[in-house]
Amino acid sequence: MPALAQRILHSLKSNLIVQILTLAIAYAVLGRLSLLLAIPPGYAIAVYPPAGLALGIILTQGYRLLPGVFLGAFLVNVVIGSDNAKSFQFTSLLLPALLATGACLQAYISTYLVRTRLKNNLALNIDREIFRFFVWGGLIGCLTSASVGIVSLYHLDVISSEQILSHWVTWWIGDTLGVLTITPIVLIPLAKPREIWLSRRYSVMLPLTICLLMVFVAFIFIRHREEQKQHLEFRLEAARLSQSLQNQLDVHADAVKNIERLFAASKGVTRTDFNIFNEYTLQTHKAISALLWIPRVGREDRQKFENAVLQEGFINFQITEKNTSGEFVKAKDYKEYFPVTFIEPFANALTFFGYDIGTSTARRNAIEEARDSGNVVATDPIAFISEKDSHSSVMLFAPVYEQGKALTTTEDRENAFRGAAVSIVSIKNLIADLLTPEEKKLFLLKFYDLSYPGANGIFYDTISEINLTFLFQSTIDFGGRQYAFLAQPSRSYWDSHISWITWSTMIGGLMFSSLLGIYLLVATAHTFNVETLVAQRTSQLHDSEERLSAILSNAAEGIVTTDMRGFIASANQSAEALFAYPLGTLFGHNIKELFPDHTANTYLQSYLSEEYVHHGIPTRMEVIGKKRGNIDFPLELALAKVELGTQNLLVLILHDLSEQKRIEKLKSEFVSAVSHELRTPLTSIRGALGLLMGGVSGTLPEPIKKLIQMANDNASRLTLLINDLLDFEKLEYGGMQFQMESIQLRDLVKSTVDANIGYAQNFSIKLLFDAEQIADMLVTVDTQRFTQVLSNLLSNAIKFSPKNGQVAVEINRLDDWVRVEVIDHGIGISAEFQKNIFQKFSQEDAKAARKYAGTGLGLSLSKSMIEKMGGKIGFTSIEGRGSRFYLDLPIVTSANS
């Protein structure tokens, strides 16, 4: 297996297309992640890590990977462009292509400059070479992408001429800092000579990475604080605008109330009085298009009213209404009329003179609402004469009552109603007049009638796209209606509210990180040169010692000698390697420390006793040894007691049995391999049977069809049995890996229930699970294994439930644990069988195995898996009434998440 992995890795390294795609993906992902360091609301960032990645890869792997830089940069800029673009345009691909060309050209030029100036020596073990590397590869090489990118943005009208310098400097600084901080990290695992770069893994890469992470965390924290501050400042400004608009609307409502007061205080108001009274109002309230007086004229008073106006010199005057074509025609016979009698300015609304406003249902409703309530009432949005179809005005009606009459009840006000003072207010002009030129540049606004849907309900709108992050919303009351006021900052607003604290934090932190990286490279270069010299001198000393111990060290078997107290006097290299001890470290240890089992100790003690005298060939015995790190392994031990003058020594000859045991294990695994090999032909058999059952070869006779169905069912059972056997084999030998992760239990259970709906429908069973009523609870599980366990419980409940029955899934919290229950109303489990239900191959009887197509392995597997994930499984059951199986898992809290 390791050889296969090495061949695959070598194949990937030698496959140019794979390398290009890998670089493109890494560049694109890193580029996308770098946008997390952007300072809102745009994509301006103080460091661009992909620039450092591109230089490091091209330096170490060659120019042949430049297409990967182009493709990665193109993908990043396409994503950024798609975030900003509303629709596809030619520049949607042209601009990313130009920017990718700049990034690719920069990687080429920087690599060329570094290789030329450093003469292809990437060891960076001399101070001068380190500084040259960063000057040519960073400060000078990074001029390329910034220049190409800014020229492209300017010629495609993405930025203005005033923005060229600031954007160029930001771009160049971002790429340069990306090279200074990221390129050393990329070079450490890839650059040659490997000796010096590998020695920098912990002395350069680790501190530099930690420093960068600290800078990024500090930046994100400060950026968040600044965003909150900017958000608050904007909301205060927007609230001020909202209140100013409310005040202006109130002032315009007061203007029409003043006309109502004029009529209420005077018994007779002439046209001249009306003109003089409203002259100042029209001069100071530019948003008012017209002021009207519409008296209430009954059917019996119509002729008298028209004659009175005619006597004023208005020839051909009559009360009019609009026909279906929108033309003014003589009004039909109605119970009452509300004709426009006084108009100021008269010339602006001459066509409305005599027009019965009450013929419009919406306006009549507004008149009646004002009459009944006694308050100023606004109409739906209307288009005044000068506005054509913009619908940016409203009509305000202020009721006028006869003097001296009671106004207590609605009926009183209806009887006393004389008419209404009317003001036509252009909301669009009102807002435009309210805003200063600076505010129009800084704020994007939208104002619309909440009760009037559609585009005609919008009075003012400069927001092309809603940005919920900085959107301010308020409700304004005016004329008895509610209006929505929306505001969000414009690009000019952000240009005038730059967070210099955020920028200085990032730039300062990155500059410190860059200087730290340069210092660490210089320091490690000095350390490596000294260590190289020391290693050369040490090697010469070791040569003489190795010649002395060559014979003993080259022995294939481990050889250890001890004194009669059991303390090791010598051990050859094989023995030390066998027990995973460094050379020379076994000396002085007691031999019993290497043999943890009782049998070996008894065997050794018999030889160490003074009374024991051994003659003949040393005996051999299989025992358990203990490697350094408390790792047990099998070995064969042969003992001999020898006399050297007056000193007795115990000689131990050791033979490692690990390989032999491994071969024995392979025999056991052969059975598992056979099971694996059965799956492929079995899948083909099931596929062929499925095709025959599906009628691919035509309609089959009923007897043959039954035989095929039987074969297919048994093939399915055999597949299930093989899968269960494989799972047991993995659990037994530790081959089953559990990828534990914290996940919302409700979502995981819902997805599992949904996946088993089809299976339940085959048995006419309804699955019940109310996910909306379940609170959020985090658990740590392997999602695949948990799904397998819960699916097994669901399939059992479905199979053992009566047709048209129900299976319910519930989630309940038990203190710091959560319980998932699967409840059925099926045949239940007998009391005698309940104690054996989690054993392998357990079925209550053979008929059940055939009837319900089970192997008896599912629950045993489920128990092992859920316990591996730190959970519990259990059940309660009443025979003939159903079962309730449950899974208990610990809840992940904020303290232990």
Side-chain angles (χ1 to χ4, degrees), residues 69 161 229 243 306 421 455 502 525 543 553 661 672 689 756 827:
V69 176
S161 58
K229 178 182 176 182
Q243 186 59 49
E306 291 178 341
T502 307
D543 288 341
S553 298
K661 297 298 181 180
S672 173
L689 292 173
N756 285 273
I827 62 176

Side-chain angles (χ1 to χ4, degrees), residues 475-585:
T475 302
I476 292 179
D477 296 321
F478 176 57
R481 302 171 73 92
Q482 287 192 326
Y483 300 85
F485 176 81
L486 307 183
Q488 68 183 43
S490 66
R491 169 60 65 179
S492 299
Y493 181 91
W494 292 119
D495 291 341
S496 62
H497 291 74
I498 296 175
S499 176
W500 294 112
I501 294 178
T502 307
W503 275 102
S504 59
T505 300
M506 179 58 102
I507 296 294
L510 291 172
M511 288 298 298
F512 174 80
S513 300
S514 302
L515 294 175
L516 175 64
I518 294 173
Y519 168 77
L520 292 175
L521 286 175
V522 172
T524 53
H526 292 172
T527 302
F528 180 79
N529 293 334
V530 172
E531 289 177 349
T532 301
L533 182 61
V534 172
Q536 292 174 352
R537 298 292 184 266
T538 305
S539 177
Q540 296 172 359
L541 295 175
H542 285 174
D543 288 341
S544 59
E545 295 180 0
E546 289 177 355
R547 284 192 295 270
L548 295 175
S549 60
I551 297 175
L552 185 62
S553 298
N554 290 326
E557 303 289 347
I559 301 174
V560 177
T561 63
T562 72
D563 59 22
M564 297 311 296
R565 295 177 301 167
F567 291 99
I568 296 175
S570 67
N572 69 346
Q573 184 176 346
S574 298
E576 291 179 323
L578 186 65
F579 290 99
Y581 276 80
L583 290 176
T585 57

Side-chain angles (χ1 to χ4, degrees), residues 619-808:
T619 58
R620 295 179 179 272
M621 186 175 189
E622 183 175 331
V623 297
I624 299 297
K626 181 172 68 175
K627 292 186 178 184
R628 187 182 185 188
N630 293 325
I631 300 175
D632 294 343
F633 70 103
L635 57 80
E636 187 179 64
L637 171 65
L639 295 177
K641 193 173 184 179
V642 297
E643 295 180 2
L644 295 177
T646 59
Q647 182 181 11
N648 291 332
L649 294 176
L650 187 63
V651 179
L652 295 84
I653 302 175
L654 311 168
H655 176 67
D656 190 359
L657 296 178
S658 299
E659 181 64 19
Q660 179 179 336
K661 297 298 181 180
R662 187 185 69 83
I663 294 173
E664 292 175 359
K665 184 178 179 181
L666 287 176
K667 294 178 182 178
S668 174
E669 292 175 348
F670 175 76
V671 176
S672 173
V674 171
S675 299
H676 279 285
E677 294 301 324
L678 284 175
R679 300 175 77 177
T680 300
L682 187 58
T683 302
S684 299
I685 292 172
R686 291 184 61 194
L689 292 173
L691 290 174
L692 290 174
M693 291 176 59
V696 70
S697 61
T699 305
L700 299 174
E702 193 62 27
I704 296 178
K705 191 173 182 179
K706 290 182 178 179
L707 291 175
I708 292 175
Q709 178 67 46
M710 183 185 302
N712 186 62
D713 292 343
N714 283 283
S716 299
R717 293 183 61 195
L718 184 56
T719 301
L720 179 62
L721 178 60
I722 291 174
N723 290 337
D724 288 348
L725 286 172
L726 291 175
D727 284 341
F728 263 115
E729 183 267 336
K730 290 179 181 178
L731 284 170
E732 183 176 353
Y733 291 102
M736 180 174 289
Q737 301 296 322
F738 286 81
Q739 304 295 331
M740 306 296 285
E741 59 177 320
S742 297
I743 191 171
Q744 288 290 350
L745 179 62
R746 174 189 59 196
D747 298 338
L748 182 57
V749 172
K750 185 178 185 305
S751 63
T752 306
V753 172
D754 291 343
N756 285 273
I757 289 177
Y759 181 76
Q761 290 174 347
N762 292 336
F763 291 82
S764 299
I765 300 298
K766 183 177 182 181
L767 291 181
L768 302 178
F769 177 64
D770 189 2
E772 296 181 355
Q773 302 300 321
I774 306 301
D776 290 342
M777 285 178 282
L778 281 177
V779 295
T780 301
V781 295
D782 182 321
T783 56
Q784 179 183 352
R785 302 304 178 190
F786 180 85
T787 300
Q788 183 177 350
V789 172
L790 184 56
S791 296
N792 183 61
L793 298 184
L794 286 170
S795 64
N796 284 347
I798 292 168
K799 288 189 296 184
F800 292 97
S801 294
K803 189 174 182 180
N804 298 320
Q806 295 180 343
V807 173

Side-chain angles (χ1 to χ4, degrees), residues 406-478:
L407 303 175
T408 306
T409 65
T410 301
E411 184 178 357
D412 291 340
R413 287 190 287 271
E414 182 177 356
N415 293 331
F417 184 62
R418 289 177 56 193
V422 183
S423 174
I424 300 177
V425 181
S426 174
I427 304 297
K428 181 177 181 181
N429 293 339
L430 187 150
I431 296 175
D433 294 339
L434 175 68
L435 300 175
T436 65
E438 184 67 14
E439 289 172 340
K440 291 178 180 178
K441 290 174 55 180
L442 298 180
F443 297 92
L444 302 176
L445 305 177
K446 184 175 184 179
F447 186 74
Y448 60 96
D449 191 340
L450 287 171
S451 59
Y452 196 84
N456 288 338
I458 300 175
F459 297 99
Y460 189 91
D461 188 8
T462 58
I463 299 178
S464 58
E465 184 177 358
I466 296 292
N467 181 3
L468 295 178
T469 304
F470 288 96
L471 182 66
F472 173 83
Q473 303 181 65
S474 66
T475 302
I476 292 179
D477 296 321
F478 176 57

Side-chain angles (χ1 to χ4, degrees), residues 258-302:
N258 291 335
I259 300 175
E260 180 269 335
R261 289 291 85 201
L262 171 66
F263 280 89
S266 304
K267 293 185 178 180
V269 177
T270 65
R271 196 176 303 276
T272 302
D273 297 335
F274 190 85
N275 171 268
I276 296 173
F277 183 83
N278 293 307
E279 183 178 2
Y280 179 78
T281 300
L282 292 172
Q283 291 176 356
T284 56
H285 298 72
K286 300 297 183 182
I288 296 180
S289 302
L291 295 171
L292 315 175
W293 160 246
I294 54 169
R296 178 185 184 185
V297 179
R299 179 190 295 141
E300 64 279 6
D301 297 325
R302 173 177 179 175

